[in-house]
Amino acid sequence: METASYPLNPGWPQAVTDEQLEFVENRPMIGAAEPKATDIFYEGDMEQAGWFTAFAGPMDSAKVKDYEFDNKGTAITSDTDNKGQQVTFADGEIRILGEWDRQAGIRLNPELWKDFPDKEFVLGVEMSLTDLELRGYYLSPQISQDGARGTQRWLTRPVPARTRVEFIAKNNDTPINLLMRGNQGLWTIQRLYLRKLNPADDAFPWPVDATESEQPVTVRIDSSRSLAANPKLLGFNPEFLRSVQGFDSPPIREALELVRPGTLRFPTGTQSNWYDWRADGWPDVDSLPEGTPQFVFDSVHALEKNRGGKLGLSAYQQLVRELNLTPLLVLNILTQSPESQAAWAQDMVEAGAGCQYFELGNETYHWAQANAETATAPQYVEHTRAYAEAIRKVVPEAKFSVQASNRDTRNDDFAWNLGLSAADFADGVTLHTYTFAFAYPMNREMVATLLYPETQLAAMVQLKREQFPQWRIWNTEWGVNAPPVKPYGTQLGALQTAAYLLALVAWEADFELACEHSLGTGEFSPIDLLPDGRMLMKRPLFAFALAGPMFAKGSQWLGTAVDEASPPLPGGYPRVSGRAFRTADGALRVLLVNRLPVEKPIHLELDGQSLPLSGTLRSLTAPTLAAADSVPEGQTMIVSQPLSEGSSLPPFSVNLIELSPAQ
């Protein structure tokens, strides 16, 4: 594929700023305003202990022990294992020292809020976070409470100066923890208070002016800046293990034909690490080592119950052939030999499906998805080299990606990622991106996080450019990680989907392929597969369908800028974003996302000349972001209407403008 020497979009999101990264990575309640004194119902005495309990210990939570302070900040109940110096209380400050192999923090007792009448309240902390170094999967530093809508808030970037952070908490009998676990840094707390929750704390991220619906957006299209579309950036990671349906089910084909993706991963995600292609399943699942994620056992046993343990390799190969998909195989480098995986590649060729793209395991940087031969990056590189060499003997054009961690965005520089540079046989690097949204019900935290996934993509691109400049990204899993909330099936999830796809186009030079996680079952999926063989289609599936033509073979992406008449939002965030493109037959199309709860009038310009609005406007819209309805196969949520002068984008909408052929 041709690589652009210029950004397709000269504006946002090409130049995401540190301020914007802070906004989404750390959530909008960082840097909160000084609360009204009348709103505060409790404030910790930073000169006297007793209103919190400190704890510390090894990574094994069962061995963590509590200790307390006297009024001079001296630990009075501790032992040698607790290493009490991890938490100190002196000079009007609480200091929590993080260490690589330990955890430590403070716990607020529910007695502090038991007499507060409301169901929720806000915890405020004035703090700094210095010398921060993150590694691995540990979500810390974090503020967390079981049952709170903001189940956990973690800080992924240093906070060098005293800053106010707020957290929506639940009025129940569950403590609130402020925790450092498995990461390094100094968390200094200068003030801690509890206040009532105000309506503004749940508002849409920014006030919507009454005149917004009158302020047009102008889409400026530059046809001299075009680039061939990359169909592989629209893909899916399937998850059929828990369903009675599989790759051979008619509803699956219908969903794929509706979207027309370019890439389809196989066999799935984590479970791929132990897949036996000859058995088309996991015949030895019960002998997997201790520490294997429990959901691997659960899902494989569900497959055995529902479909006799067979995943459906031949049906996958048939879909690849008939729908002209690009196959992507995740190799089993843990329990299968290089020769076995090379034979699998040969089988794909003989089945007429072929295969050029191979991932060397799935998330093997995580200890639960590794073994003794892949425990460190140097071991992993040398172990997987044999797989690449064996497969290239039968598929000379084969391309391989190594597995890197995107867990901690730009702060993630631990040894695994750095050690991958020795993989001179690799062609790309796999990075997974999940938008974390734990808030419920939908408040400004969740809205801002999901409406602007571009900021997380920006951080991933930055990591790639710093650590892996020689490779392009294989973004083989992207989605929303939000249990127990499940916002992905909502209109908010649909907007997130379209915004993410637009951002992939904006940074196309950094990406080889991408797959949403997951198509099939679970809260991540844009469809629901029912036990009776039917399918329900959720809102995000129709966002994929509207975006599909933009990634079709033969389409051309065009330079696009969206100008807004309204004053900029804080941080320069757009109300509307989009991309113009031409289809293989030359038709001009524009994909647009309106993130506001009001209509937005549109105006189009092509190469500096006004374009008459003539054609069709196809929209996926809803009155609220929380809309979570679904429809059975054969139906649609997309509404079509004639496009004419005065047309507007509906509120909270994903839109495809199909201009008349003469345009």
Side-chain angles (χ1 to χ4, degrees):
M1 174 186 170
E2 177 189 355
T3 300
S5 58
Y6 47 79
L8 279 171
N9 186 346
W12 203 91
Q14 279 291 331
V16 172
T17 64
D18 282 345
E19 176 189 5
Q20 291 167 335
L21 286 173
E22 288 280 0
F23 182 91
V24 169
E25 286 183 8
N26 289 335
R27 311 297 191 262
M29 294 180 79
I30 284 204
E34 171 68 30
K36 295 180 180 178
T38 53
D39 286 347
I40 297 175
F41 65 87
Y42 177 82
E43 183 150 359
D45 186 340
M46 303 306 291
E47 297 297 333
Q48 297 289 324
W51 51 273
F52 67 90
T53 300
F55 57 89
M59 294 298 289
D60 184 351
S61 296
K63 298 180 180 179
V64 171
K65 298 179 181 179
D66 294 348
Y67 58 95
E68 299 174 354
F69 298 100
D70 63 17
N71 288 334
K72 296 180 180 180
T74 302
I76 58 175
T77 57
S78 183
D79 56 39
T80 55
D81 186 53
N82 268 345
K83 296 177 69 173
Q85 67 269 23
Q86 275 197 267
V87 182
T88 56
F89 181 52
D91 303 322
E93 296 180 337
I94 302 171
R95 303 183 186 110
I96 305 172
L97 180 65
E99 298 182 5
W100 291 130
D101 59 348
R102 297 182 58 79
Q103 56 184 308
I106 64 171
R107 182 183 305 112
L108 303 185
N109 193 311
E111 291 290 318
L112 299 180
W113 53 84
K114 71 174 185 177
D115 295 328
F116 183 65
D118 298 346
K119 294 181 179 180
E120 292 181 304
F121 59 91
V122 173
L123 163 69
V125 182
E126 292 183 11
M127 51 159 280
S128 62
L129 187 60
T130 55
D131 302 321
L132 182 65
E133 294 185 43
L134 306 174
R135 70 163 63 170
Y137 256 47
Y138 302 117
L139 302 179
S140 77
Q142 68 173 252
I143 305 171
S144 63
Q145 181 195 32
D146 290 343
R149 69 162 83 175
T151 305
Q152 50 192 341
R153 175 191 314 286
W154 54 94
L155 312 173
T156 63
R157 299 166 71 83
V159 182
R162 181 167 174 164
T163 302
R164 189 176 298 108
V165 179
E166 292 190 332
F167 171 85
I168 298 177
K170 198 79 169 179
N171 190 348
N172 58 23
D173 57 1
T174 305
I176 299 174
N177 294 320
L178 288 79
L179 170 69
M180 292 279 283
R181 182 170 188 256
N183 289 310
Q184 198 159 281
L186 177 61
W187 190 354
T188 303
I189 298 170
Q190 295 100 350
R191 181 189 182 198
L192 190 148
Y193 59 85
L194 308 178
R195 70 167 175 85
K196 72 176 184 179
L197 180 67
N198 295 310
D201 298 319
D202 275 343
F204 186 81
W206 305 280
V208 178
D209 190 89
T211 63
E212 276 285 5
S213 60
E214 303 170 4
Q215 303 296 321
V217 292
T218 299
V219 182
R220 306 186 193 279
I221 306 168
D222 184 354
S223 64
S224 69
R225 297 168 50 243
S226 66
L227 188 70
N230 178 3
K232 298 191 299 296
L233 292 182
L234 180 63
F236 288 111
N237 177 50
E239 177 52 83
F240 300 145
L241 276 75
R242 299 175 186 268
S243 173
V244 298
Q245 302 187 55
F247 290 97
D248 57 350
S249 300
I252 300 301
R253 178 180 286 268
E254 179 177 342
L256 293 172
E257 289 179 342
L258 177 66
V259 175
R260 289 287 175 178
T263 306
L264 190 61
R265 198 180 188 215
F266 187 90
T268 181
T270 301
Q271 298 93 329
S272 302
N273 287 313
W274 301 278
Y275 175 73
D276 182 337
W277 75 272
R278 287 192 171 93
D280 191 22
W282 291 261
D284 301 321
V285 64
D286 290 326
S287 63
L288 293 180
E290 182 180 356
T292 302
Q294 183 60 42
F295 70 82
V296 172
F297 299 100
D298 295 343
S299 60
V300 171
H301 290 318
L303 181 68
E304 293 170 347
K305 177 182 177 181
N306 293 327
R307 301 206 305 278
K310 302 293 184 181
L311 185 60
L313 174 58
S314 61
Y316 169 78
Q317 293 169 334
Q318 182 178 354
L319 284 175
V320 167
R321 292 192 305 268
E322 296 178 357
L323 300 184
N324 195 28
L325 301 168
T326 296
L328 167 65
L329 298 188
V330 185
L331 299 178
N332 176 352
I333 63 169
L334 300 184
T335 63
Q336 296 276 299
S337 68
E339 293 73 23
S340 169
Q341 301 300 273
W344 185 14
Q346 182 64 40
D347 182 76
M348 292 288 292
V349 173
E350 293 174 355
C355 192
Q356 184 181 4
Y357 294 91
F358 300 87
E359 288 186 82
L360 295 163
N362 177 84
E363 297 182 356
T364 47
Y365 48 84
H366 191 282
W367 66 268
Q369 300 185 54
N371 61 15
E373 295 175 302
T374 62
T376 67
Q379 289 174 301
Y380 168 80
V381 169
E382 289 312 305
H383 181 70
T384 55
R385 185 184 301 275
Y387 290 80
E389 292 173 351
I391 290 174
R392 283 192 170 125
K393 290 178 181 178
V394 297
V395 184
E397 69 277 15
K399 293 186 177 182
F400 299 89
S401 74
V402 290
Q403 300 289 303
S405 172
N406 191 39
R407 170 67 266 160
D408 295 313
T409 62
R410 285 163 39 170
N411 289 307
D412 188 359
D413 59 355
F414 64 101
W416 179 277
N417 279 14
L418 300 182
L420 296 178
S421 60
D424 52 7
F425 55 87
D427 305 278
V429 58
T430 290
L431 290 169
H432 291 169
T433 313
Y434 286 96
T435 303
F436 288 87
F438 286 92
Y440 185 81
M442 288 186 183
N443 67 342
R444 66 177 181 177
E445 294 183 64
M446 177 184 289
V447 170
T449 303
L450 296 186
L451 277 184
Y452 295 100
E454 298 96 323
T455 51
Q456 289 198 333
L457 266 172
M460 180 170 62
V461 168
Q462 181 72 20
L463 179 146
K464 176 263 176 191
R465 291 177 180 177
E466 291 175 354
Q467 298 185 9
F468 311 111
Q470 71 274 36
W471 294 322
R472 298 174 82 182
I473 297 170
W474 297 23
N475 187 203
T476 59
E477 290 183 24
W478 66 266
V480 178
N481 191 345
V485 186
K486 303 177 178 59
Y488 184 65
T490 65
Q491 184 67 11
L492 178 56
L495 297 179
Q496 188 263 357
T497 293
Y500 196 98
L501 294 172
L502 285 169
L504 285 173
V505 175
W507 281 301
E508 57 78 32
D510 292 287
F511 289 86
E512 181 73 25
L513 48 82
C515 298
E516 189 271 340
H517 180 82
S518 58
L519 183 71
T521 56
E523 65 266 19
F524 303 110
S525 176
I527 62 175
D528 273 334
L529 298 175
L530 304 181
D532 61 5
R534 294 182 299 122
M535 172 180 65
L536 293 178
M537 298 183 289
K538 305 177 189 177
R539 288 184 167 271
L541 186 71
F542 297 102
F544 278 111
L546 289 170
M550 184 170 66
F551 295 92
K553 186 176 181 180
S555 290
Q556 291 281 324
W557 296 329
L558 304 178
T560 308
V562 180
D563 296 337
E564 300 177 351
S566 306
L569 293 174
Y573 284 94
R575 297 163 175 83
V576 177
S577 57
R579 172 68 54 191
F581 61 97
R582 289 197 182 276
T583 59
D585 60 4
L588 183 60
R589 304 282 186 262
V590 186
L591 183 71
L592 292 167
V593 178
N594 177 18
R595 295 166 165 95
L596 293 186
V598 297
E599 293 185 348
K600 292 297 290 182
I602 50 175
H603 176 69
L604 301 183
E605 290 184 4
L606 176 62
D607 299 330
Q609 301 296 315
S610 179
L611 268 179
L613 295 182
S614 175
T616 303
L617 174 62
R618 303 178 64 215
S619 303
L620 173 68
T621 184
T624 69
L625 292 172
D629 46 331
S630 56
V631 297
E633 60 258 41
Q635 298 186 23
T636 184
M637 293 185 180
I638 297 172
V639 176
S640 298
Q641 58 182 307
L643 180 70
S644 60
E645 298 301 327
S647 289
S648 295
L649 304 178
F652 294 141
S653 60
V654 181
N655 307 272
L656 182 63
I657 293 176
E658 300 175 340
L659 290 158
S660 298
Q663 307 297 333

